[in-house]
Amino acid sequence: MKVIMLGAPGAGKGTQAKMIAEKFGIPHISTGDIFRANIQKGTELGAEAKKYMDQGLLVPDELTVKILLDRVAQDDCGKGYVLDGFPRTIPQAKVLDEALEKLGEKIDYAVDVDVADEHIVKRMSGRRACLKCGATYHVEHIPPRQEGVCDSCGSDLVLRDDDKPETVMNRLKVYHDQTQPLIEYYGQKGILRKVDGTMEMQDVFHAIVDLLG
Ligand code: AMP
């Protein structure tokens, strides 16, 4: 099963994507995580991506599409995958569809985790991330066992540069301009499924599982 998670930054799609991937035993693929891992490792790709990410802008399509297509071609993607944060533009969606079509495959579902803008800024300022292992938390909704410390690897948790309020406002604008048109794109293909992302995390999860069933 191939699933795309759509939704504004901070809508909770990353958390849901991980839970769905685990439930169905397929990889969770986040282009944001791939970029952050590259920044952490100090690669050339990471340095290039960081220039855009720190401003809340999208990394150019050429760069993003290549890393995504390389990733989905790996052996662990045979049974499908959950894409989190890709595609983010219509051209990215088209490249993905064309690449899959050549293999006789297609995306099964695009799930829109719907949360109004006014909730988003509030939510994101509570987000905390571990820059070492990529785990994410929320001071209210998903607190770590010990404040400011990652449950998985014990590193310090931080408010990511791209979760800071001024960057969040930029990311929301970018989302509305460039990513929201994907809702109509997948709607026209008949594979769009919408869930109310303001519900409790577990309720959102169960709603998504029902939709995919
Ligand atoms: P995320 O963790 O998905 O919120 O992504 C963090 C940042 O990485 C975004 O704000 C973008 O700068 C960049 N990014 C992640 N995925 C993409 C994508 N599909 N296209 C362009 N930029 C992306």
Side-chain angles (χ1 to χ4, degrees):
M1 182 170 62
K2 298 186 184 64
V3 182
I4 288 172
M5 300 299 291
L6 295 172
K13 66 179 186 312
T15 306
Q16 296 297 334
K18 281 180 205 152
M19 291 162 77
I20 299 294
E22 192 171 323
K23 172 157 176 81
F24 291 97
I26 50 180
H28 160 238
I29 300 177
S30 152
T31 37
D33 281 353
I34 297 175
F35 288 137
R36 282 185 289 276
N38 275 274
I39 293 173
Q40 189 73 17
K41 280 191 260 165
T43 69
E44 211 170 293
L45 168 69
E48 185 62 19
K50 189 171 175 8
K51 286 195 247 165
Y52 300 91
M53 291 168 77
D54 282 353
Q55 297 176 68
L57 298 175
L58 295 186
V59 177
D61 284 347
E62 312 83 78
L63 212 62
T64 311
V65 161
K66 186 176 179 320
I67 61 155
L68 191 277
L69 293 183
D70 285 351
R71 179 64 189 89
V72 296
Q74 288 173 20
D75 289 348
D76 63 336
C77 291
K79 274 178 26 191
Y81 40 78
V82 182
L83 297 186
D84 164 17
F86 186 99
R88 259 184 162 94
T89 64
I90 296 278
Q92 289 182 9
K94 288 190 171 157
V95 173
L96 176 64
D97 281 346
E98 283 158 19
L100 290 177
E101 209 178 308
K102 280 191 198 142
L103 301 170
E105 298 173 5
K106 61 177 180 46
I107 297 296
D108 298 296
Y109 298 103
V111 178
D112 177 28
V113 182
D114 189 29
V115 178
D117 280 12
E118 49 267 32
H119 288 282
I120 299 274
V121 178
K122 199 171 152 235
R123 270 196 188 185
M124 286 181 78
S125 58
R127 226 145 88 147
R128 296 293 179 270
C130 173
L131 297 185
K132 184 138 186 254
C133 75
T136 50
Y137 301 86
H138 190 282
V139 288
E140 281 168 40
H141 310 299
I142 324 167
R145 283 192 294 273
Q146 189 186 337
E147 200 185 314
V149 180
C150 179
D151 290 351
S152 313
C153 75
S155 301
D156 286 346
L157 299 178
V158 298
L159 179 64
R160 270 171 17 193
D161 284 343
D162 60 351
D163 286 340
K164 294 191 170 144
E166 58 284 10
T167 316
V168 171
M169 298 307 289
N170 245 344
R171 293 175 71 193
L172 277 174
K173 185 177 180 319
V174 168
Y175 169 75
H176 289 299
D177 291 348
Q178 301 193 55
T179 306
Q180 212 170 13
L182 291 173
I183 292 177
E184 201 189 321
Y185 179 87
Y186 291 114
Q188 279 175 359
K189 290 183 181 287
I191 59 168
L192 182 73
R193 303 287 183 273
K194 223 181 223 317
V195 289
D196 174 2
T198 62
M199 298 186 294
E200 289 295 322
M201 190 175 68
Q202 284 297 338
D203 295 337
V204 178
F205 175 62
H206 293 308
I208 297 175
V209 171
D210 284 350
L211 290 173
L212 301 183

